[in-house]
Amino acid sequence: MYGMNIDDIKKKYMDLQDHINIFDTTLRDGEQSPGIALTVDEKIQIAQKLDKIGVNTIEIGFPAVSEGERETARTVKALGLNAEICGLARVLEKDMDALIDSDLSYVHTFIGTSPLHRDYKLKMSKEEVLNKAVTAIEYAVDHGITVEFSAEDATRTEMDYLIEVYKAAEDAGASMINIPDTVGVLTPIIAKSLVHDIKNALNTPISVHFHNDFGLATANSLMAVEAGAKQAHVTVNGIGERGGNASLEEFVVSLAVAYDIDLDIDTTQLYNLSDFVSKITGVKMAPNKPIVGDNAFAHESGIHVHGILENAATYEPIKPELVGHSRKIALGKHTGASAIKSKLNDFNIELSEDQFCSVYDQIKELGDKGKTITDADLKAIAVTELSTTPNKSIELLGLAVMSGESVSPSATVKLLIDGEEKETSKTGVGPVDAALNAIKSLIQQTTFIELEEYNIEAITGGTDALAEVFVVTSDNQGNKATGRSTRDDVVMASVLAVLNSINKLLVIKNS
Ligand code: KIV
Ligand code: ZN
């Protein structure tokens, strides 16, 4: 992948641990995102899915906060999942007691260590902060609790003091030292050197908890792993305070694919998990969200689609199946003929060369108007094309409509009828009616035609949906013919459907 053997790079530049623990905090830090509040049942369902996918630790909540949090923790703990169930606690005896009361035996405990937190939030000296941390860790350990200790706002704490606090936590019995980048100020190189220095000063495994304020949480977490971190805190879809946390799916896939580290995570469940959490939390994913976004494996441009159809690896870093996602060939103005042909093939629609050219032109025209064409749109356009009469004795040369508040809707239609140009304007109850009246008046100079049926449907939702118009016309000899058209303009779709039907009727009449 890098033009150099990954194992050589790993040996030379990285201090990778054999196994990286995935500590998921979707249900704690993720739930702290504004607007998210999960019920006990929702938390249980997410915890079960996280466990199924293979995360090592699930931070279930903050037991000291409420009886509801404690009840959730107890219920999830009682499920006997493979993952360790962890609760958050301040360095307070009462928080540890709440955790014990929740039947948990793993605590993630924290206290702010930066000057900002000491001076403004805690109003404590350096010694007071350190002593409080030590006392709480000792209390938890004495009660048989495994302790993971976080120096909140570690990345804005004086380095010598930070190491002093971490050493004291280690001596007090903490089993994991966590480095939170509480307001996401780290950059990758600094993350790597910070983890490297803290790791060298301690004997306890290092964990990181990086926030995404500058969009660097996943990159920073990967650098922490390169520097020897044993564990990273992540959340599904990267949800969390403000800009969120490092995202589970991005971190896991990068480790597995770019670093070739086996995590025992079932990556094929990532898309489902992301979708589930998105629906339950109401936090929608941006289409361009890596790994799980709608566009993560979507292709529109002709060059890319051509490459994808030959060999998907040309424009995809991984197979969508690896994360349980699916490939999407989107149609729009960048679409090439091969993409349209491949889709029509999937739909079992066979078109003549002329019909295909017409479908292709319509797709380009719609794309130029800024519309993304869905599969349903393409099917409707192609089916319309299939049902069009090849020999048009009446052709549309021009159409103009006018409608408004205080004027009668009117339409001017110009037709080529048997080689002769004819034009007229008519009014109607609406622009479609006016246009159809104009057509009727032009045609009826030579032939009697009646509109028997008129149906209109929007193919997809939205104000720019394509309109599919289906009509039936009849003549005075009892002949009937259907007509169909699909356009983004309702009047145009109606006019073309009627002309399509009339042309068929003329074929029947003259045969
Ligand atoms: O971001 C943070 O600092 C936290 C703490 C609770 C560790 O989430
Ligand atoms: Zn956090």
Side-chain angles (χ1 to χ4, degrees), residues 14-74:
M14 303 181 198
D15 180 13
L16 297 179
Q17 299 289 304
D18 292 340
H19 184 270
I20 305 299
N21 285 359
I22 304 297
F23 179 116
D24 186 279
T25 181
T26 307
L27 299 174
R28 197 278 296 168
D29 214 322
E31 206 204 12
Q32 281 173 222
S33 313
I36 301 182
L38 300 170
T39 64
V40 178
D41 200 46
E42 288 167 340
K43 277 199 169 190
I44 291 169
Q45 289 184 61
I46 294 175
Q48 281 171 321
K49 285 187 188 288
L50 286 168
D51 185 59
K52 200 158 162 235
I53 216 169
V55 305
N56 304 94
T57 307
I58 297 172
E59 190 167 35
I60 195 69
F62 195 166
V65 159
S66 70
E67 181 47 37
E69 286 280 281
R70 291 191 282 282
E71 187 49 38
T72 308
R74 272 182 223 118

Side-chain angles (χ1 to χ4, degrees), residues 25 28-29 32 59 88 108-111 117 150-154 178 180-183 209-211 233 241-242 245:
T25 181
R28 197 278 296 168
D29 214 322
Q32 281 173 222
E59 190 167 35
L88 183 71
H108 170 209
T109 189
F110 72 100
I111 184 163
H117 281 238
S150 272
E152 193 186 15
D153 207 17
N178 186 48
D181 184 22
T182 302
V183 291
H209 174 108
F210 290 165
H211 276 275
H233 288 200
E241 295 269 15
R242 304 175 314 281
N245 292 58

Side-chain angles (χ1 to χ4, degrees), residues 180-248:
D181 184 22
T182 302
V183 291
V185 291
L186 278 185
T187 55
I189 295 289
I190 297 176
K192 189 164 181 176
S193 84
L194 180 76
V195 172
H196 174 268
D197 291 351
I198 294 175
K199 182 171 181 269
N200 277 354
L202 304 173
N203 298 307
T204 311
I206 304 293
S207 167
V208 292
H209 174 108
F210 290 165
H211 276 275
N212 201 33
D213 296 68
F214 298 160
L216 293 170
T218 303
N220 291 338
S221 304
L222 291 171
M223 293 307 259
V225 168
E226 286 194 10
K230 174 76 185 155
Q231 172 177 281
H233 288 200
V234 290
T235 60
V236 178
N237 298 334
I239 58 173
E241 295 269 15
R242 304 175 314 281
N245 292 58
S247 119
L248 168 75

Side-chain angles (χ1 to χ4, degrees), residues 337-351:
S338 49
I340 302 176
K341 279 191 177 147
S342 143
K343 278 209 177 254
L344 291 172
N345 213 20
D346 292 347
F347 305 149
N348 281 325
I349 297 179
E350 259 182 62
L351 297 179

